[in-house]
Amino acid sequence: MKLGTFDIRRTAAGASTLAVLLGSSSALAAESAADGAGGTQQVEEVVVVGRYYDAAARLVEERKQSSSVTNLIGADDIGRVGDSNVAAALRRISGLTLVNDRFVYVRGLGERYSSTTLNGARVPSVDLTRNVIPLDVFPTHVVEALEVQKSFTADQPAAFGGGNVDIRTRGLPGSLVFGLEVGTGYDDEAGGRVLSYPGGDDDAWGTDDGTRSLSGTLLRQTHRFRGEVGVQNILKTLRAQENPSATLADAQAINRQLALELNRNLTPDERDVDPDLDVKGYVGNSFFVGEDLELGFVASAAYEDGWRESNSLNRNFRFPDERTDEEVESTYTVNLTGNANVGLSYLDEHEIIFSTLYLRNTDDQTAVRTFFNENRERSSGSGFQDVRLKFEEREILVNQWRGHHRIGLGTRDIAERFLPERLVDLVPNDLEVSWFYSDSESETGIPGETRVAMAGPADPVTGEILKPAVRMLAEAADFRFTELDDRVEDYGWAVKAPLRFGESLFELSGGYRHTRQARDYRQIQYTLGVFRVGDPGLLSSPLGDVFSDEAILDPANRFELQRTGANNESYIAATMTDAWFGALDWTWRDTWRLALGVRWEDYRQFAIGYNPFGYGIANPVVTTDPDELAVNAFAKDDLFPSASLTRIANGFLAETFQLRFGYSETVTRPDLREITAASYIDPLTSDLVFGNPGVVPAELANYDIRAEWFFSNGDNFTVSLFYKDIDNPIEFFEAPSSDTNIAREIVNAESAEIYGVELELLKELAFIHPRLEPFYLQANLTFQDSALVAGEQASSPTNPKREMTNAAPFIANLQLGYDAPNGRHSATLVYNVFDERLFVAGRLGAPDGFEQPFHSLDATYAWYPTEALRVKAKIQNLLGESVEIERGGVTTFEEKAGRTFALSVSWDF
């Protein structure tokens, strides 16, 4: 038994069912075995095919029954391909592309235009600058299925642009199950040795033991001196409040002691790479209490760690040979997962499930950056070098209650024992009531992010800094401490009543949903300046020596601690949404289906920067200016309609044919941080980003046409057309800045539109030749185009009309699979590519930057030596492709992605 799936091998009836699903000779052999004509071996001959096609058939049937344009991918398909996280798995779905290995773009629309739910409920984000959830934090081993709904229906939140991604966690088992998987692997870019630095004792568990975190003493002393710990402010405070005769030497002594509170063990070194470690396990069971009540549970846990290394090169498109920026970054990643579900089922008509999910994802980064700019070009023989250390820990805890109740025959029989029959008859047969309550919170902590500025003579040919030394600057070393707390409470209910009149089946539904989110982002930043050293050779020493206790306390040296950064980098934000919806789904003669719905939402949002070191009216924690407070608040209620019409025909070139037409109106709202006036550094792009309290939601009109052919043997073919018209689209534009730094601002463009066609195919290859019966082809292609009109708010864009950012004109996913007739082997080859797509729009005549096509080729092979044992090997990025961005014919960015190799052994009972 596989967790959350039905094992076709264990019953004779299952073999017969498989024969119907597949309609193939191998399935017929299984049916023969079920009748006693063959042996056990014949049933096992279709085990791998059965595992894949049985799960795929269930998802295809769900897709057929949906009134919206929906794509699904199941756990079995994810397992075949070997994707380790949800973000990587979703790029297999038509019209979806992966950006920064974390965010999914649906139909060319940015991550802000898509939403993510977990079992239908909204969950908080661990991203420091975005409301959207980086999907790489969700491991695929907890996933039962991924659903991407591309057309809006009234039961979904109205913040619906490209689509909604629902992550469904694995369900309760039907009997005793348990399993264990152990795996290893490595990345060829991180082969040999990697950069590292001294950390804490708990790093292997993905948590800091306090080594890097902000000292309580330093924080208390910062408050003591009213947020400013520079020598002059310390002296001023001492004389005004504590010691009128205090001297400059007294203030300097206090400042130096405070500097010792920082973690200054910063010397990077090289270490040998350990192979990746991947351990997963689960156990579950279900049992009956009496004849009608079934109880079940399942619990799973996982631990993963591994090293990755990236080598990136940036070039200035105007001076590509003189102004370059090269970085080597090593990352040690730890993932911890815990998941538990407990549920009960009564009469097969009532189900209540409680589930909890805990995720911890930690990246410990060590990077050395060598760069040349307008101040020191490469040919000058002198350059800059930065050493950057960053420990980022992300945690999510989700607790959910879900219930589904159907008034079937069993429930009616019980109700009639206690209630008058006429009262029971008022309730429609098969009336369904569903409800959920989700309480989730996320925490992102960066207890230590340090950057040290260095410089030195450089080899003009190789660009190597020959003898780097710490620069004598006020910000020679920068120490940043960041915390993000995000909490989401989401609950609601829905009622669905089927009514039949003659040849018409009506389904009336309606419900309510309440969602609230609260965010608290805190950032504190210090710099340790170097103004004088007695021995200049000290600055070329290992960093741990440069910033040692002895060096800081040496009177011959002048080190000074300062608190820096803008006072409004921290912020608080909240949203609240109340929504009601109603819908009618009418099916006539099983040939026409009309679905109409409307959703009313009352949305409120507020966000404002605050100063953690605010004291008094002159320097408050939060502004009391009523005009500024009003600008940072937004509230609006509106109606969002949806409509779809489906023509269902049997025998039109396939067993089932469906033609769907859809229309809806939706909205996309700015992220919480974007409506504050504060600026921040984007952790993904390192760009300076300016907020804009004047940004308003974008409004979308969505049109869809989809034709689907479903064949009796499980094959299917789909053609989808889509068009989106967007008013006030929310986009990033380049803002005025220096040559060295890149700045972006968030504004409302004037308008945008995007349209395209999606083709999807699942086909067995026996029609080519009988020997190809074990092979199948799954493919999807997307062709799309977009146009954005910048409008007056954009700052001098080079192209006032352009395509939308990251909207690739062409996307292809091809999957060739093989399932051995004896059920002992399976293999999958997966190819993914996107066409050239806009990465950054130019300003003041500067050319636009385009990300070049990335040809991803992955291979997975699985061997089943016994019924319960599986050995799997996978290789990703077989072609060794690199990420490249071109601007004006110059490759301005290049990063080697590396190949990853993994081997695992699993035992499932």
Side-chain angles (χ1 to χ4, degrees):
M1 173 70 70
K2 298 287 289 182
L3 178 61
T5 62
F6 177 71
D7 193 335
I8 201 73
R9 297 173 291 191
R10 294 197 178 275
T11 65
S16 299
T17 302
L18 182 61
V20 175
L21 285 172
L22 298 181
S24 65
S25 60
S26 60
L28 292 173
E31 183 176 4
S32 175
D35 291 335
T40 303
Q41 182 63 29
Q42 286 182 292
V43 177
E44 289 189 349
E45 285 181 355
V46 294
V47 58
V48 179
V49 181
R51 180 186 294 111
Y52 177 72
Y53 271 97
D54 180 51
R58 291 197 304 270
L59 294 177
V60 167
E61 185 61 30
E62 180 179 346
R63 175 173 154 181
K64 288 167 63 176
Q65 298 300 321
S66 174
S67 63
S68 63
V69 177
T70 301
N71 289 88
L72 297 108
I73 181 171
D76 294 275
D77 198 9
I78 296 172
R80 288 184 64 96
V81 175
D83 293 319
S84 60
N85 63 69
V86 166
L90 284 170
R91 65 190 173 115
R92 315 295 180 192
I93 292 180
S94 62
L96 272 65
T97 53
L98 187 60
V99 177
N100 294 321
D101 293 325
R102 307 180 72 188
F103 301 105
V104 170
Y105 280 45
V106 181
R107 290 178 166 177
L109 294 173
E111 71 269 13
R112 73 170 65 253
Y113 290 91
S114 300
S115 54
T116 301
T117 54
L118 182 70
N119 297 317
R122 184 177 170 186
V123 292
S125 175
V126 293
D127 191 274
L128 295 174
T129 59
R130 293 165 173 83
N131 264 2
V132 295
I133 305 170
L135 294 173
D136 62 325
V137 303
F138 290 97
T140 51
H141 68 264
V142 302
V143 173
E144 178 67 29
L146 300 173
E147 178 188 15
V148 180
Q149 184 173 326
K150 298 178 182 176
S151 64
F152 172 71
T153 52
D155 60 328
Q156 294 290 323
F160 189 105
N164 179 74
V165 176
D166 186 38
I167 304 170
R168 303 181 190 172
T169 56
R170 291 185 182 270
L172 299 174
S175 61
L176 176 64
V177 297
F178 57 88
L180 179 67
E181 178 177 334
V182 179
T184 187
Y186 74 98
D187 177 78
D188 64 358
E189 283 295 311
R193 298 175 67 82
V194 294
L195 293 172
S196 185
Y197 68 98
D201 294 335
D202 296 333
D203 289 2
W205 296 105
T207 186
D208 179 58
D209 63 357
T211 298
R212 307 169 179 84
S213 60
L214 176 61
S215 159
T217 299
L218 178 55
L219 182 59
R220 287 190 298 272
Q221 293 297 310
T222 303
H223 282 293
R224 173 190 173 189
F225 296 109
R226 293 295 189 264
E228 301 297 336
V229 293
V231 170
Q232 292 300 323
N233 190 72
I234 292 176
L235 180 60
K236 178 181 177 181
T237 303
L238 290 176
R239 288 177 173 175
Q241 301 179 9
E242 302 176 17
N243 182 8
S245 61
T247 65
L248 180 64
D250 295 331
Q252 289 175 333
I254 292 175
N255 182 271
R256 287 174 173 172
Q257 288 295 326
L258 292 181
L260 300 185
E261 295 295 324
L262 296 169
N263 175 39
R264 291 156 290 109
N265 195 0
L266 307 175
T267 305
D269 57 11
E270 290 190 345
R271 56 155 292 171
D272 293 328
V273 176
D274 297 323
D276 296 352
L277 176 62
D278 183 358
V279 181
K280 303 181 181 77
Y282 67 86
V283 61
N285 201 358
S286 64
F287 49 90
F288 280 90
V289 179
E291 296 183 356
D292 299 324
L293 180 64
E294 183 180 11
L295 304 178
F297 77 93
V298 64
S300 65
Y303 174 88
E304 300 173 84
D305 76 351
W307 284 92
R308 296 294 180 264
E309 184 169 277
S310 65
N311 293 268
S312 61
L313 175 62
N314 276 284
R315 299 181 182 90
N316 184 291
F317 71 90
R318 292 191 178 94
F319 309 96
D321 297 324
E322 290 288 355
R323 301 178 187 178
T324 62
D325 190 331
E326 187 170 5
E327 184 175 75
V328 178
E329 179 184 271
S330 298
T331 303
Y332 175 63
T333 298
V334 175
N335 294 316
L336 286 173
T337 308
N339 182 216
N341 294 338
V342 180
L344 60 86
S345 174
Y346 182 63
L347 295 171
D348 288 330
E349 296 177 0
H350 304 271
E351 183 180 58
I352 297 177
I353 296 177
F354 170 76
S355 62
T356 183
L357 174 66
Y358 172 78
L359 304 173
R360 178 188 293 170
N361 171 256
T362 302
D363 289 334
D364 191 3
Q365 300 174 347
T366 308
V368 176
R369 172 190 172 213
T370 301
F371 60 100
F372 303 87
N373 56 30
E374 69 274 16
N375 297 314
R376 297 189 188 186
E377 295 188 331
R378 190 160 179 159
S379 61
S380 69
S382 179
F384 301 99
Q385 187 172 92
D386 282 354
V387 173
R388 179 173 55 83
L389 313 175
K390 182 179 180 182
F391 187 94
E392 182 171 356
E393 179 182 350
R394 298 170 289 270
E395 292 185 344
I396 297 179
L397 176 63
V398 182
N399 293 311
Q400 295 182 335
W401 287 91
R402 307 190 302 277
H404 184 266
H405 310 275
R406 180 173 59 87
I407 310 301
L409 293 177
T411 303
R412 300 183 77 87
D413 288 342
I414 294 176
E416 288 173 354
R417 300 175 194 173
F418 305 98
L419 299 173
E421 183 176 349
R422 63 179 181 277
L423 183 60
V424 176
D425 290 341
L426 292 176
V427 180
N429 288 326
D430 293 325
L431 175 75
E432 295 183 30
V433 178
S434 59
W435 56 270
F436 75 94
Y437 176 82
S438 177
D439 185 15
S440 52
E441 58 182 328
S442 69
E443 295 182 3
T444 300
I446 305 180
E449 181 179 5
T450 305
R451 182 187 61 83
V452 179
M454 307 176 73
D459 186 322
V461 177
T462 65
E464 179 185 0
I465 305 298
L466 302 177
K467 192 177 181 181
V470 174
R471 299 175 67 189
M472 296 184 65
L473 299 169
E475 61 276 1
D478 182 275
F479 300 82
R480 189 173 302 181
F481 306 91
T482 305
E483 293 182 10
L484 170 68
D485 294 323
D486 199 354
R487 181 167 183 175
V488 172
E489 184 181 26
D490 194 8
Y491 57 86
W493 54 265
V495 178
K496 185 185 299 182
L499 303 171
R500 181 174 291 276
F501 299 97
E503 297 180 301
S504 293
L505 174 63
F506 292 90
E507 191 174 79
L508 302 176
S509 61
Y512 168 78
R513 184 167 183 170
H514 175 86
T515 307
R516 68 177 70 181
Q517 177 185 12
R519 260 197 163 203
D520 180 5
Y521 175 89
R522 302 176 298 281
Q523 179 178 302
I524 301 175
Q525 185 176 351
Y526 297 89
T527 58
L528 186 54
V530 180
F531 296 96
R532 182 183 67 246
V533 291
D535 178 9
L538 172 67
L539 301 178
S540 301
S541 303
L543 296 183
D545 294 339
V546 176
F547 299 104
S548 65
D549 292 3
E550 293 77 13
I552 291 175
L553 297 176
D554 188 343
N557 304 327
R558 182 189 165 198
F559 289 80
E560 184 170 342
L561 180 70
Q562 296 272 4
R563 190 183 70 84
T564 59
N567 286 332
N568 60 354
E569 287 176 332
S570 302
Y571 70 95
I572 52 176
T575 68
M576 183 179 295
T577 306
D578 287 290
W580 292 88
F581 80 90
L584 166 67
D585 194 338
W586 171 38
T587 302
W588 181 68
R589 288 187 175 181
D590 291 328
T591 58
W592 289 96
R593 183 179 183 182
L594 176 66
L596 302 174
V598 64
R599 184 180 187 88
W600 175 80
E601 280 195 357
D602 183 13
Y603 178 79
R604 289 142 285 175
Q605 174 176 294
F606 179 80
I608 192 166
Y610 75 91
N611 179 11
F613 298 99
Y615 307 95
I617 298 177
N619 185 25
V621 175
V622 177
T623 180
T624 56
D625 185 338
D627 293 332
E628 186 174 346
L629 291 172
V631 167
N632 286 276
F634 177 85
K636 186 178 183 180
D637 66 289
D638 210 341
L639 293 173
F640 301 92
S642 65
S644 70
L645 178 65
T646 305
R647 174 70 169 97
I648 306 169
N650 296 324
F652 180 67
L653 302 179
E655 182 182 47
T656 303
F657 169 75
Q658 294 187 155
L659 180 62
R660 306 170 186 264
F661 301 86
Y663 171 78
S664 63
E665 296 177 8
T666 56
V667 67
T668 295
R669 301 175 177 116
D671 281 351
L672 292 176
R673 184 161 193 170
E674 292 171 349
I675 65 170
T676 69
S679 61
Y680 61 92
I681 301 296
D682 190 304
L684 293 178
T685 64
S686 298
D687 295 344
L688 177 65
V689 180
F690 296 105
N692 181 359
V695 173
V696 299
E699 298 177 350
L700 297 88
N702 313 283
Y703 303 82
D704 291 277
I705 302 176
R706 170 176 278 199
E708 301 172 290
W709 289 265
F710 300 96
F711 300 90
S712 58
N713 66 344
D715 294 345
N716 59 77
F717 178 66
T718 302
V719 180
S720 303
L721 303 174
F722 64 90
Y723 173 78
K724 295 180 181 292
D725 186 20
I726 310 174
D727 189 29
N728 293 319
I730 302 171
E731 281 278 306
F732 280 111
F733 286 88
E734 189 171 341
S737 185
S738 67
D739 290 341
T740 304
N741 299 314
I742 297 176
R744 295 187 298 159
E745 60 183 344
I746 190 76
V747 301
N748 285 112
E750 182 178 313
S751 63
E753 61 179 359
I754 186 164
Y755 52 88
V757 57
E758 298 171 344
L759 307 175
E760 303 171 59
L761 170 71
L762 174 62
K763 179 64 179 173
E764 289 185 285
L765 301 185
F767 75 98
I768 300 176
H769 192 280
R771 291 187 178 180
L772 294 179
E773 183 179 2
F775 292 87
Y776 72 89
L777 175 66
Q778 190 170 15
N780 60 70
L781 306 174
T782 302
F783 303 87
Q784 62 188 15
D785 197 7
S786 65
L788 180 138
V789 179
E792 297 180 355
Q793 295 187 41
S795 175
S796 306
T798 298
N799 296 308
K801 185 175 181 179
R802 59 167 173 82
E803 58 264 56
M804 296 190 73
T805 306
N806 285 301
F810 172 70
I811 308 166
N813 292 285
L814 304 176
Q815 179 174 320
L816 178 64
Y818 169 78
D819 294 304
N822 65 2
R824 299 297 188 189
H825 309 273
S826 69
T828 310
L829 190 66
V830 179
Y831 173 73
N832 171 272
V833 66
F834 57 82
D835 200 1
E836 182 179 82
R837 60 191 185 188
L838 179 67
F839 180 80
V840 59
R843 178 178 176 272
L844 291 175
D848 295 340
F850 292 88
E851 184 175 359
Q852 299 305 294
F854 187 96
H855 300 268
S856 172
L857 184 63
D858 305 333
T860 305
Y861 165 76
W863 173 44
Y864 302 85
T866 70
E867 183 178 345
L869 193 64
R870 182 194 67 182
V871 180
K872 185 170 72 174
K874 65 179 179 181
I875 306 175
Q876 294 182 298
N877 193 24
L878 271 165
L879 302 178
E881 288 280 277
S882 298
V883 177
E884 294 184 1
I885 297 172
E886 287 190 4
R887 203 168 180 183
V890 176
T891 301
T892 57
F893 177 82
E894 182 177 359
E895 182 178 49
K896 296 180 180 179
R899 299 180 183 89
T900 58
F901 305 83
L903 179 67
S904 64
V905 178
S906 61
W907 181 65
D908 302 277
F909 177 80

